[in-house]
Amino acid sequence: MTLLQRLKDETSSEHAALEARLPLMHPDLTLQDYVGVLQAFYSVVQPLEARLDALVLPEALEWPERRRAALLEADLRGLDQAPVPPDPGSAQAWADLTGAEALGACYVLEGSTLGGQLITRQLGRLGLSAEDGGAYFAGHGVHTGARWKAFRAALESSVPAEQADAVLRGARRTFLAFHGALA
């Protein structure tokens, strides 16, 4: 079984729980609900990305080009909301994230760009677009599929078999962080 198949299979319950908690696909989604999701995501993504920036990640992952906290900030500002600075404990929560666990976190962050394509269509009902409040979920736009394939290939080639369990821990930890932020 490949690492990617393990990640998909062994984090499916965490992934499903997160999707169930998100109101983004509900027909009664309000702008207030959406802003709440953006703030919750920012509280996870900003400190997580700061930790990922401090680690040495495989160059093939193209980490700097995949950063998305700035998109959350732009979306919030575009909706006349100030990003709520993450709790100081948020940064501390990621302080012990190892390099291998970071790859699992990257898997979750990059994987969310795929689901974001569906969410972007739903946001249109609120009058939002990638240029106007929906940049985070628009991911890489028309390049999302190609960027996901490149990420998958880079991840598979970058992780030795003995680090697979750590990558899985990092992915689970990231799903749970998002779940907790939405609670």
Side-chain angles (χ1 to χ4, degrees):
M1 179 181 297
T2 68
L3 173 62
L4 287 161
Q5 192 59 50
R6 278 190 69 195
L7 280 163
K8 184 178 179 182
D9 292 351
E10 295 181 33
T11 63
S12 64
S13 62
E14 291 90 347
H15 189 183
L18 177 58
E19 283 184 349
R21 189 154 201 74
L22 285 170
L24 297 173
M25 298 303 287
H26 293 182
D28 58 346
L29 175 70
T30 66
L31 192 55
Q32 182 179 359
D33 294 334
Y34 177 61
V35 167
V37 170
L38 292 177
Q39 293 286 14
F41 274 40
Y42 185 71
S43 76
V44 174
V45 174
Q46 192 280 330
L48 175 55
E49 284 188 355
R51 176 61 182 151
L52 294 172
D53 287 345
L55 295 169
V56 177
L57 299 175
E59 192 173 314
L61 291 180
E62 301 174 324
W63 165 245
E65 293 83 26
R66 296 181 187 278
R67 298 180 89 250
R68 296 176 56 224
L71 297 174
L72 287 165
E73 291 171 5
D75 286 345
L76 286 162
R77 287 194 180 99
L79 297 169
D80 295 323
Q81 302 291 317
V84 175
D87 173 299
S90 298
Q92 192 58 34
W94 298 107
D96 64 343
L97 189 74
T98 67
E101 289 171 336
L103 299 178
C106 289
Y107 165 82
V108 174
L109 293 175
E110 189 63 25
S112 72
T113 63
L114 295 174
Q117 299 301 290
L118 296 172
I119 293 167
T120 297
R121 287 191 279 281
Q122 181 76 355
L123 294 177
R125 289 187 324 96
L126 296 175
L128 303 174
S129 66
E131 297 78 28
D132 185 30
Y136 179 82
F137 290 104
H140 306 294
V142 297
H143 304 290
T144 298
R147 295 288 312 246
W148 173 243
K149 287 179 186 173
F151 176 83
R152 289 173 44 123
L155 186 64
E156 282 287 353
S157 67
S158 299
V159 179
E162 64 272 7
Q163 292 183 348
D165 289 342
V167 174
L168 284 161
R169 274 194 312 276
R172 281 192 184 102
R173 184 174 174 179
T174 306
F175 276 122
L176 293 174
F178 279 113
H179 195 276
L182 291 164

